[in-house]
Short mmCIF file of all heavy atoms in Angstrom, two decimals:
data_model
loop_
_atom_site.label_atom_id
_atom_site.label_comp_id
_atom_site.label_asym_id
_atom_site.label_seq_id
_atom_site.Cartn_x
_atom_site.Cartn_y
_atom_site.Cartn_z
N PRO P 378 -5.55 -1.84 5.60
CA PRO P 378 -6.72 -2.48 4.99
C PRO P 378 -6.60 -2.59 3.50
O PRO P 378 -6.98 -3.67 2.94
CB PRO P 378 -7.85 -1.44 5.38
CG PRO P 378 -7.34 -0.79 6.64
CD PRO P 378 -5.84 -0.73 6.50
N ILE P 379 -6.04 -1.63 2.79
CA ILE P 379 -5.97 -1.74 1.34
C ILE P 379 -5.07 -2.95 0.93
O ILE P 379 -5.42 -3.66 0.04
CB ILE P 379 -5.47 -0.42 0.69
CG1 ILE P 379 -5.34 -0.53 -0.80
CG2 ILE P 379 -4.12 0.01 1.26
CD1 ILE P 379 -6.57 -0.18 -1.50
N GLY P 380 -3.99 -3.07 1.66
CA GLY P 380 -3.08 -4.25 1.35
C GLY P 380 -3.71 -5.55 1.61
O GLY P 380 -3.61 -6.46 0.79
N LEU P 381 -4.45 -5.67 2.72
CA LEU P 381 -5.18 -6.90 3.03
C LEU P 381 -6.27 -7.12 1.93
O LEU P 381 -6.47 -8.29 1.55
CB LEU P 381 -5.84 -6.80 4.36
CG LEU P 381 -4.96 -7.15 5.58
CD1 LEU P 381 -5.72 -6.95 6.90
CD2 LEU P 381 -4.54 -8.61 5.51
N ALA P 382 -6.88 -6.03 1.51
CA ALA P 382 -7.90 -6.22 0.49
C ALA P 382 -7.35 -6.78 -0.79
O ALA P 382 -7.95 -7.58 -1.44
CB ALA P 382 -8.64 -4.89 0.25
N TRP P 383 -6.14 -6.31 -1.15
CA TRP P 383 -5.46 -6.83 -2.38
C TRP P 383 -5.33 -8.30 -2.30
O TRP P 383 -5.69 -9.08 -3.22
CB TRP P 383 -4.08 -6.14 -2.58
CG TRP P 383 -4.12 -4.78 -3.00
CD1 TRP P 383 -5.18 -4.14 -3.59
CD2 TRP P 383 -3.11 -3.79 -2.84
NE1 TRP P 383 -4.82 -2.84 -3.90
CE2 TRP P 383 -3.60 -2.59 -3.41
CE3 TRP P 383 -1.85 -3.80 -2.26
CZ2 TRP P 383 -2.82 -1.41 -3.40
CZ3 TRP P 383 -1.06 -2.60 -2.22
CH2 TRP P 383 -1.58 -1.46 -2.88
N GLU P 384 -4.79 -8.74 -1.12
CA GLU P 384 -4.52 -10.16 -1.01
C GLU P 384 -5.79 -10.97 -0.95
O GLU P 384 -5.89 -12.07 -1.47
CB GLU P 384 -3.66 -10.43 0.22
CG GLU P 384 -2.26 -9.83 0.08
CD GLU P 384 -1.31 -10.37 1.10
OE1 GLU P 384 -0.84 -11.46 0.96
OE2 GLU P 384 -1.05 -9.67 2.06
N ALA P 385 -6.85 -10.36 -0.35
CA ALA P 385 -8.11 -11.05 -0.20
C ALA P 385 -8.72 -11.25 -1.63
O ALA P 385 -9.20 -12.29 -1.94
CB ALA P 385 -9.04 -10.24 0.64
N LEU P 386 -8.65 -10.18 -2.45
CA LEU P 386 -9.15 -10.29 -3.84
C LEU P 386 -8.42 -11.36 -4.62
O LEU P 386 -9.00 -12.07 -5.39
CB LEU P 386 -9.03 -8.96 -4.53
CG LEU P 386 -10.08 -7.91 -4.27
CD1 LEU P 386 -9.82 -6.64 -4.98
CD2 LEU P 386 -11.44 -8.47 -4.70
N ARG P 387 -7.07 -11.44 -4.34
CA ARG P 387 -6.32 -12.43 -5.11
C ARG P 387 -6.67 -13.84 -4.66
O ARG P 387 -6.80 -14.74 -5.50
CB ARG P 387 -4.83 -12.18 -4.73
CG ARG P 387 -3.83 -13.03 -5.50
CD ARG P 387 -2.48 -13.02 -4.87
NE ARG P 387 -2.57 -13.50 -3.51
CZ ARG P 387 -1.64 -13.29 -2.59
NH1 ARG P 387 -0.64 -12.50 -2.85
NH2 ARG P 387 -1.76 -13.80 -1.41
N GLU P 388 -6.93 -13.96 -3.37
CA GLU P 388 -7.31 -15.28 -2.85
C GLU P 388 -8.67 -15.78 -3.21
O GLU P 388 -8.89 -16.89 -3.56
CB GLU P 388 -7.18 -15.27 -1.25
CG GLU P 388 -5.77 -15.02 -0.76
CD GLU P 388 -5.02 -16.30 -0.69
OE1 GLU P 388 -5.46 -17.18 0.11
OE2 GLU P 388 -3.99 -16.44 -1.30
N ASP P 389 -9.62 -14.88 -3.06
CA ASP P 389 -11.02 -15.33 -3.25
C ASP P 389 -11.87 -14.02 -3.50
O ASP P 389 -12.30 -13.34 -2.55
CB ASP P 389 -11.53 -15.97 -1.98
CG ASP P 389 -12.87 -16.72 -2.23
OD1 ASP P 389 -13.69 -16.18 -2.97
OD2 ASP P 389 -13.07 -17.78 -1.62
N GLU P 390 -12.05 -13.77 -4.77
CA GLU P 390 -12.66 -12.52 -5.11
C GLU P 390 -14.13 -12.39 -4.62
O GLU P 390 -14.49 -11.34 -4.14
CB GLU P 390 -12.69 -12.40 -6.70
CG GLU P 390 -12.63 -11.03 -7.15
CD GLU P 390 -12.23 -10.93 -8.61
OE1 GLU P 390 -13.13 -11.07 -9.46
OE2 GLU P 390 -11.04 -10.63 -8.87
N ILE P 391 -14.82 -13.41 -4.67
CA ILE P 391 -16.28 -13.40 -4.25
C ILE P 391 -16.37 -13.13 -2.76
O ILE P 391 -17.13 -12.26 -2.28
CB ILE P 391 -16.99 -14.74 -4.60
CG1 ILE P 391 -17.00 -14.90 -6.16
CG2 ILE P 391 -18.32 -14.76 -4.04
CD1 ILE P 391 -17.51 -16.22 -6.67
N ALA P 392 -15.59 -13.84 -2.01
CA ALA P 392 -15.63 -13.68 -0.56
C ALA P 392 -15.27 -12.26 -0.18
O ALA P 392 -15.82 -11.60 0.66
CB ALA P 392 -14.74 -14.68 0.13
N ALA P 393 -14.20 -11.72 -0.85
CA ALA P 393 -13.74 -10.41 -0.57
C ALA P 393 -14.81 -9.39 -0.82
O ALA P 393 -15.04 -8.47 0.01
CB ALA P 393 -12.45 -10.08 -1.34
N GLN P 394 -15.49 -9.49 -1.92
CA GLN P 394 -16.57 -8.55 -2.29
C GLN P 394 -17.68 -8.66 -1.27
O GLN P 394 -18.28 -7.66 -0.93
CB GLN P 394 -17.04 -8.82 -3.68
CG GLN P 394 -16.14 -8.28 -4.72
CD GLN P 394 -16.62 -8.64 -6.10
OE1 GLN P 394 -16.52 -9.78 -6.48
NE2 GLN P 394 -17.23 -7.72 -6.84
N ALA P 395 -18.01 -9.86 -0.85
CA ALA P 395 -19.08 -10.02 0.12
C ALA P 395 -18.68 -9.34 1.42
O ALA P 395 -19.57 -9.02 2.26
CB ALA P 395 -19.38 -11.48 0.35
N LEU P 396 -17.42 -9.14 1.70
CA LEU P 396 -17.02 -8.43 2.93
C LEU P 396 -16.95 -6.94 2.72
O LEU P 396 -16.61 -6.24 3.64
CB LEU P 396 -15.61 -8.95 3.33
CG LEU P 396 -15.53 -10.44 3.75
CD1 LEU P 396 -14.17 -10.87 4.01
CD2 LEU P 396 -16.41 -10.69 4.96
N GLY P 397 -17.36 -6.49 1.50
CA GLY P 397 -17.44 -5.09 1.26
C GLY P 397 -16.25 -4.51 0.53
O GLY P 397 -16.09 -3.27 0.45
N VAL P 398 -15.38 -5.39 0.02
CA VAL P 398 -14.22 -4.87 -0.75
C VAL P 398 -14.68 -4.40 -2.12
O VAL P 398 -15.32 -5.21 -2.80
CB VAL P 398 -13.13 -5.93 -0.85
CG1 VAL P 398 -12.07 -5.46 -1.82
CG2 VAL P 398 -12.56 -6.26 0.49
N ASP P 399 -14.44 -3.17 -2.47
CA ASP P 399 -14.87 -2.68 -3.80
C ASP P 399 -13.74 -3.03 -4.78
O ASP P 399 -12.68 -2.47 -4.88
CB ASP P 399 -14.99 -1.17 -3.75
CG ASP P 399 -15.42 -0.57 -5.05
OD1 ASP P 399 -15.39 -1.30 -6.11
OD2 ASP P 399 -15.85 0.68 -5.03
N ARG P 400 -14.00 -4.11 -5.53
CA ARG P 400 -13.00 -4.75 -6.40
C ARG P 400 -12.34 -3.78 -7.35
O ARG P 400 -11.15 -3.72 -7.42
CB ARG P 400 -13.70 -5.88 -7.13
CG ARG P 400 -12.95 -6.52 -8.14
CD ARG P 400 -13.67 -7.82 -8.45
NE ARG P 400 -13.27 -8.31 -9.81
CZ ARG P 400 -13.82 -7.83 -10.95
NH1 ARG P 400 -14.83 -6.94 -10.93
NH2 ARG P 400 -13.37 -8.29 -12.10
#
Side-chain angles (χ1 to χ4, degrees):
Chain P
I379 178 89
L381 274 177
W383 287 338
E384 293 195 79
L386 277 177
R387 185 195 64 201
E388 295 273 300
D389 193 324
E390 210 162 83
I391 295 174
Q394 282 176 284
L396 296 173
V398 173
D399 183 346
R400 170 165 160 275

